[in-house]
Structures are given as structure tokens and as C-alpha cells.
Amino acid sequence: MKVLFLLMALMILNIGLSQNSDITTSLYETYEKYQEPSLNKRRIKHHELQPLFIRHAANKSFTVKKVGESIEGRALNLISMGSGKTNVLLWSQMHGNEPTATQAIFDILNFLASEDFQEEKKEILENLTIHFLPMLNPDGAERFQRRNLLGVDINRDAVRLQSPESKTLKHVRDSLNADFGFNLHDQSAYYNAERTEKPATISYLAPAFNYEKNINEKRGNAMKIIVFMNNIIQKYAPGQVGRYNDDFEPRAFGDNIQKWGTSTILIESGGYANDVEKQEIRKLNYVSILSAIYTIAKENYKNIAIEEYEKIPENDRKLFDLKIVNATYTLMGQNYVLDLGVNRLEVDKKGNNDFWYSSRIIDQGDLSTYYGYETLNAQGFTIKQGKIHPIALINISELKDLDSFDLLKQGYTYVRVANIPGGMLESPIPMNILGSTYKLPDLQLEVGINPTFILEKDGKPQYAVINGFLIDLNKGKKATTFNFAYKNAMIYR
Ligand SMILES: [Zn+2]
């Protein structure tokens, strides 16, 4: 009898989990249908969201309500739906340069506004009332910066509440007394799952509500939801999940909202190889958050073991965009073996709608405990300064007559141009451009310099590194890396 009962319980549990898994697969496969097409780059602005709010406000099952204003007077809108007794609140982009979840929220809204998945949506909207507060820091988003216009990190203002954006979030949380809270951020793409080369594409935290890091029912429920979402992400990005350190931060919103009695789930969108605009990560947000909402509606997260939470690997920060290992470097006539860690840093263009790359050597030496999105074993290769092309050009337009790939193969990484247009930020060819009087310093590898050099073997260039982009000179001109680098070389006036 006991065995039979156990068997039945297992079957029910199994049905619950497999139903969730089915919906997750369907959500993943049908995603493109709901993806909001107007938000396809990271540097999204408040004005781009307004037509979307107007469209959703016209939907009779949604309510859109202005709940506050940023310092510069941008409206903070709360969009709600459903009639269930469980309140779920999701807020995004309290850090202005962390937009991935804002995009995913508008994808989720498109899904909820659609006529599809009726049965699942009925379940969600009868059991839950869901509230979205996207882009909590629109002034920061305007400038693609973390902080708000007061220069304050909103996530350290949960208690002092000096920023109007902070007051709005606190007021909304309190007025709803939300059961579940999703605190949606982006993190550096250089985070990895501890002791692996896998980027932490998504990181989670069920924030502590005291220094003792106690686990009460509310925090325990957040941990269970995280375990549920981790299982989903593992399916699409195996190994690419990290868990944040849960040291209590008494000034942060996540920690306080947990303390105020809302099961709080922090989600950080990190990096994913070859996904500069983070659109794959946006999709993973969409699938995992929507699945989490469904499991909260069905309450079948309750059977998940909290211990599974601790098994998610911790976050680490050991990734570079490019890691070059075992390269030979000659200094004062002596040869040394060096690893180099290179990151391609984004510099915003005027208006913060676009960016260019200014790459840097971040570390050098024995980097065997670090990883790269791209790694080159340069054993037997010698780092050599790239040469300046002997023919100086008058105008930028003459660059198109150069066979730059062929010049790279000959070891040239720089070309002089007399007239460089004032506003020009990037070289249109995969060679750095020098003004006619710019004095190029001798290459001395050190942390902080721009990584531009040649890797030679037997006196013959094999690879060029131009502004941190690796170009395989044995591949044809159409090699992907070549095309990528093409847009991103430096100009020194
Ligand atoms: Zn953040």
C-alpha cells in the first residue's frame, strides 16, 4: 500500500515536471513569434518603450498605470494583468546599462497579449496577478550608464530612498505586498561559472535578508524557483549558470525586498559567445521567466529540494574576450613565455546609441587559472611589433585601394593617413590608422596598452592582433574573424 502510494506520488510529480518541460520547449521554439522587434539592440531608450505601452494599454486585459517619474521626468509605468490572489512583481533595468530583461519583458507581454497557449495562460492569469515595472532607471538608460541622474546606484538606495525611482519601487512593492519579486539585471560578460571556461550567461541569487543568511519560507521559495529556472537554462546553455555570493547587503533592494516578505529572485544576464547584443540571452530570459511564472501559478515548484540551489556553481570573474597562451616575447634580448588576457572595451558614441571598441591588455603572465571566449595557443609564436605601411596616404578614401589582408600578412598593422575626418572613431580597414605626425611608441607589453601586434613563426606572420581582434592570416580574407575585426580598428591622431 505504502509503495503504491509512493509510486502514485512520484507519477503525479513526474507529470507536473514533464508538463512544465513541455511548455518550456514550446516557448523556446515559438519565441520569434513574440519577440518585440523594435527592441533589438542593448542601447534602448525610454521613448522607444512608449508606443509599446500605448499598444498594451489598449488591451482590455492589461492595465497600464503611471506609478512614478525619474529625476528627468520620464514616466515609470506599471503594467498589470490577471486576477489571481498571488502577486508577482517583476522590475528591470534599475541600472541604466542593463537592458536585457527589459527587452524580455516586452516579449513576455507580447506572448500574454497573443491568442496562443490559451490553457496555460488561463492557468497563469486565474492564479496570479502579474505586474511588470520595466526600465526603472530611464535617465540612466538614456546615457547607457549604471547610475541614475543623481549619480546614485539605485540598488544601494533601498533604505535611504533619496531617488524618486527608488521611492517608486518601494511604494509599488509595499502597495502590492507582492508574493514573488523578480529583480532583473545584467552583469559583466566576463563572469564565468567557477573553475570552468563557461560564461555565466545567467546568474541567480536568492538574496539574504540578514547577516546570518537564514532561510525562511519566503527565501526558500525563491531558491526553489531558481533551481527550477536553472534546470531550464542548463538545457539550452549547459554549464552556463552561476550563483551569486549571498552576503547580506543592507542597502540593496533585493535583500530588503526579501526582508519585507516578498520571495525575491535576482537574475543577472551575463555573456554568451558571439552574442554581442545579448539577443540569445534575452530569449533565455523570456523562456525561463515565463516558465517560472507558470510554475508559480501551478505551485508545483514547492516539491523542489532547496539543497539543489547550493549545487549551482558560484560565479567567478575569470573570462577574457581573447586569451593568448604561451607566446614568446622578447625583452632586452631575452625571450620570455607569456599569456595575455585581452578585453574589448566598449566606448559609447555620442548619444549613447552605438559604441566602438578600444581594447586593452587586462593581464599578462601565467594566466592558467583564466579562460577566454576565444583562446589561441601561441606556443612557438613570437610577438612582434606590427610595422607602419611605408606609403602614407592623403585621404581616408584611399584606404579602399589597399589590400589590407595582404599587408597584414607582410606584418603591417598601421597605415598613415594625413586627413582623418574629425568625427571618425573607427578605422574602416583591419589596420590601425595613424595621423601623419603621430609617434608610434615601441611595443612594450604591459597591462593597459592596446593589443595590436603580429604573431610570427619562423619569421613569417601567422596571426595579427588588431585592437584586440585576432585575425588568422592563414585563413582567407573571408574568415569571420577578419570581417569582425574589419569594423573595429583604432585611429591615433
Ligand atoms: Zn544591476
Side-chain angles (χ1 to χ4, degrees):
M1 193 65 194
K2 245 185 192 166
V3 175
L4 195 68
F5 179 75
L6 194 69
L7 212 63
M8 278 172 66
L10 274 173
M11 276 170 68
I12 291 164
L13 184 66
N14 204 13
I15 289 163
L17 291 177
S18 74
Q19 273 176 352
N20 272 340
S21 155
D22 288 350
I23 175 126
T24 298
T25 309
S26 313
L27 290 173
Y28 190 87
E29 283 168 0
T30 59
Y31 169 69
E32 280 69 25
K33 192 173 171 193
Y34 311 102
Q35 183 180 17
E36 176 49 50
S38 64
L39 307 174
N40 59 0
K41 294 233 170 159
R42 282 173 295 151
R43 285 162 178 76
I44 51 174
K45 312 291 182 206
H46 183 261
H47 71 84
E48 295 172 81
L49 306 186
Q50 302 322 300
L52 307 177
F53 279 121
I54 290 168
R55 193 174 79 212
H56 289 304
N59 181 336
K60 64 177 175 11
S61 42
F62 291 0
T63 57
V64 178
K65 193 176 145 200
K66 181 177 162 184
V67 288
E69 266 184 15
S70 69
I71 292 175
E72 260 180 335
R74 295 188 172 88
L76 304 175
N77 289 322
L78 186 73
I79 179 160
S80 309
M81 71 275 322
S83 54
K85 64 175 178 8
T86 302
N87 275 291
V88 180
L89 172 63
L90 304 94
W91 62 96
S92 72
Q93 215 171 344
M94 70 163 67
H95 296 134
N97 56 354
E98 300 179 4
T100 305
T102 300
Q103 299 174 340
I105 283 177
F106 283 96
D107 302 338
I108 292 172
L109 290 171
N110 286 348
F111 169 85
L112 292 171
S114 76
E115 297 297 316
D116 315 328
F117 293 87
Q118 287 295 348
E119 199 182 309
E120 289 83 1
K121 273 195 293 211
K122 186 165 174 275
E123 190 120 33
I124 289 172
L125 298 175
E126 278 179 3
N127 290 304
L128 309 179
T129 307
I130 316 173
H131 312 267
F132 297 93
L133 180 45
M135 194 184 274
L136 188 65
N137 179 6
D139 300 350
E142 205 63 23
R143 296 157 178 85
F144 203 62
Q145 66 181 32
R146 178 181 178 85
R147 291 167 184 256
N148 69 0
L149 205 62
L150 185 61
V152 159
D153 180 342
I154 292 172
N155 210 21
R156 298 291 177 269
D157 196 33
V159 177
R160 189 168 287 185
L161 295 173
Q162 284 304 291
S163 304
E165 303 89 355
S166 312
K167 284 181 189 146
T168 300
L169 178 57
K170 170 85 164 89
H171 173 75
V172 168
R173 205 286 336 163
D174 289 352
S175 65
L176 301 171
N177 197 18
D179 299 282
F180 286 89
F182 288 79
N183 184 14
L184 306 172
H185 293 253
D186 282 77
Q187 66 184 355
S188 163
Y190 303 123
Y191 281 104
N192 62 305
E194 197 179 33
R195 285 191 293 280
T196 78
E197 63 178 4
K198 304 274 187 145
T201 299
I202 298 283
S203 291
Y204 293 113
L205 174 69
F209 56 85
N210 60 11
Y211 283 108
E212 292 73 29
K213 308 183 188 183
N214 291 344
I215 302 172
N216 59 6
E217 193 195 342
K218 292 285 182 181
R219 188 174 179 220
N221 284 343
M223 289 172 164
K224 291 175 181 184
I225 298 295
I226 287 171
V227 171
F228 174 82
M229 287 192 289
N230 173 49
N231 287 337
I232 293 171
I233 303 295
Q234 294 296 345
K235 194 169 152 189
Y236 299 108
Q240 294 178 210
V241 178
R243 177 169 51 92
Y244 253 94
N245 176 301
D246 69 346
D247 286 348
F248 179 56
E249 168 49 77
R251 303 167 299 166
F253 263 103
D255 306 51
N256 279 288
I257 290 181
Q258 192 89 273
K259 188 163 110 183
W260 299 330
T262 295
S263 289
T264 305
I265 295 139
L266 171 75
I267 305 181
E268 298 270 359
S269 294
Y272 191 97
N274 304 315
D275 186 19
V276 172
E277 290 298 336
K278 301 179 76 159
Q279 298 301 291
E280 181 62 25
I281 310 177
R282 164 189 182 176
K283 180 176 177 177
L284 294 175
N285 267 266
Y286 166 88
V287 172
S288 58
I289 293 170
L290 207 39
S291 301
I293 287 173
Y294 187 54
T295 200
I296 291 170
K298 288 178 75 85
E299 295 194 341
N300 53 6
Y301 65 90
K302 289 187 172 171
N303 304 318
I304 294 170
I306 287 178
E307 299 73 52
E308 294 296 311
Y309 176 81
E310 303 284 339
K311 291 183 190 160
I312 302 172
E314 283 197 56
N315 254 12
D316 203 352
R317 193 178 175 141
K318 290 267 183 341
L319 269 174
F320 298 116
D321 283 316
L322 172 64
K323 185 186 170 191
I324 297 173
V325 301
N326 297 319
T328 301
Y329 173 58
T330 312
L331 180 65
M332 298 172 73
Q334 285 285 337
N335 281 348
Y336 300 88
V337 170
L338 283 184
D339 303 338
L340 299 176
V342 166
N343 286 351
R344 298 160 193 152
L345 307 181
E346 293 181 5
V347 183
D348 272 34
K349 293 182 181 174
K350 199 162 176 264
N352 308 95
N353 290 304
D354 198 3
F355 65 95
W356 55 284
Y357 288 108
S358 176
S359 300
R360 295 283 176 266
I361 293 179
I362 301 296
D363 201 354
Q364 62 188 51
D366 176 356
L367 301 182
S368 54
T369 57
Y370 286 79
Y371 309 94
Y373 277 97
E374 191 180 7
T375 301
L376 176 73
N377 185 354
Q379 181 118 37
F381 294 80
T382 305
I383 293 174
K384 285 282 165 68
Q385 176 149 32
K387 297 180 289 184
I388 305 173
H389 184 43
I391 302 167
L393 307 178
I394 308 293
N395 292 310
I396 286 289
S397 61
E398 295 167 50
L399 289 171
K400 69 177 184 320
D401 301 325
L402 293 182
D403 186 342
S404 44
F405 192 74
D406 192 56
L407 294 176
L408 290 173
K409 282 178 96 162
Q410 297 175 49
Y412 296 109
T413 56
Y414 300 94
V415 57
R416 284 198 191 276
V417 180
N419 302 319
I420 305 170
M424 198 166 174
L425 297 167
E426 299 149 288
S427 166
I429 63 167
M431 293 174 76
N432 290 349
I433 296 173
L434 307 178
S436 42
T437 55
Y438 183 84
K439 196 177 171 323
L440 185 70
D442 287 338
L443 178 71
Q444 178 156 359
L445 293 182
E446 59 181 314
V447 169
I449 68 158
N450 182 271
T452 293
F453 48 81
I454 293 287
L455 285 157
E456 250 181 39
K457 196 171 201 173
D458 304 325
K460 204 172 153 256
Q462 304 290 325
Y463 289 90
V465 174
I466 306 289
N467 190 26
F469 290 89
L470 183 69
I471 303 169
D472 184 343
L473 300 174
N474 292 311
K475 278 193 185 169
K477 292 180 190 185
K478 292 202 170 88
T480 327
T481 45
F482 178 81
N483 290 331
F484 195 42
Y486 191 87
K487 300 176 204 149
N488 299 303
M490 298 284 289
I491 296 176
Y492 298 97
R493 286 180 167 81

